[in-house]
Amino acid sequence: MKRLFLLMLLLFPMIANCQSWLTREDTYWFVGTGVDVRNAIFGGTVNPVAYDGTWSLGYRNAGFSIIAYYETFHEIEYESFGVNPGFVVRPGKKFVPAADISLSFIRRPWKVYPSLAFNARAEYHFDRFFIYARAENRWRTDYDFYQFSVYGGFCVKFGFD
């Protein structure tokens, strides 16, 4: 309990002053779409070249990010959806690295499975949109193995003051 109190005491000045860090570029909503690059170009380990796409809605506030997403891959009758709370390394810059954890579900025709993934993102920002590359390491609980995927896409920012 003392450690938690000490941690809160040390973090309080940062939390209290966080409003001064925020700028128009640091706080916004975004919507986006992306595609699994390997499946789009080469095909997967169990499928030919096919569309595996994502749709997302997210919110950024300085170093914090949260994304709700939906992924569909008709070729193998796969869908996933979830939320990704994350950390943004360089908010407000042109090149922004970010990382998040995907707390999600995989839906197959026969069952719905909980799933977990770790994502690393590299984003390049323009005024009202950004493009990204995302590396994902997902625990595929429908088949009980880890799957590495690379996605690319773009997002549109909105909700500026």
Side-chain angles (χ1 to χ4, degrees), residues 28-33 56 58 60 65 67 93-94 96 121-133 153-158:
Y28 53 88
W29 289 87
F30 59 93
V31 296
T33 186
S56 57
R60 288 266 171 86
S65 175
I67 302 169
K93 305 293 184 188
K94 288 282 186 191
V96 178
R121 298 169 62 98
E123 303 171 351
Y124 190 82
H125 287 251
F126 298 90
D127 186 38
R128 295 287 182 171
F129 71 97
F130 61 93
I131 57 175
Y132 70 88
F154 72 94
C155 296
V156 177
K157 304 175 191 179
F158 63 95

Side-chain angles (χ1 to χ4, degrees), residues 25-45:
E25 292 82 22
D26 293 323
T27 304
Y28 53 88
W29 289 87
F30 59 93
V31 296
T33 186
V35 65
D36 184 324
V37 177
R38 183 192 63 185
N39 278 319
I41 297 172
F42 305 111
T45 54

Side-chain angles (χ1 to χ4, degrees), residues 74-141:
H74 292 293
E75 183 73 24
I76 62 169
E77 297 179 304
Y78 172 94
E79 293 176 306
S80 69
F81 52 93
V83 295
N84 300 6
F87 177 72
V88 179
V89 179
R90 296 168 25 114
K93 305 293 184 188
K94 288 282 186 191
F95 177 73
V96 178
D100 59 53
I101 296 173
S102 179
L103 309 169
S104 58
F105 291 95
I106 294 173
R107 192 179 95 164
R108 299 303 296 251
W110 55 89
K111 194 173 177 185
V112 175
Y113 303 87
S115 185
L116 181 67
F118 300 99
N119 299 301
R121 298 169 62 98
E123 303 171 351
Y124 190 82
H125 287 251
F126 298 90
D127 186 38
R128 295 287 182 171
F129 71 97
F130 61 93
I131 57 175
Y132 70 88
R134 175 172 60 95
E136 175 186 81
N137 188 10
R138 176 172 298 282
W139 179 24
R140 287 285 305 272
T141 52

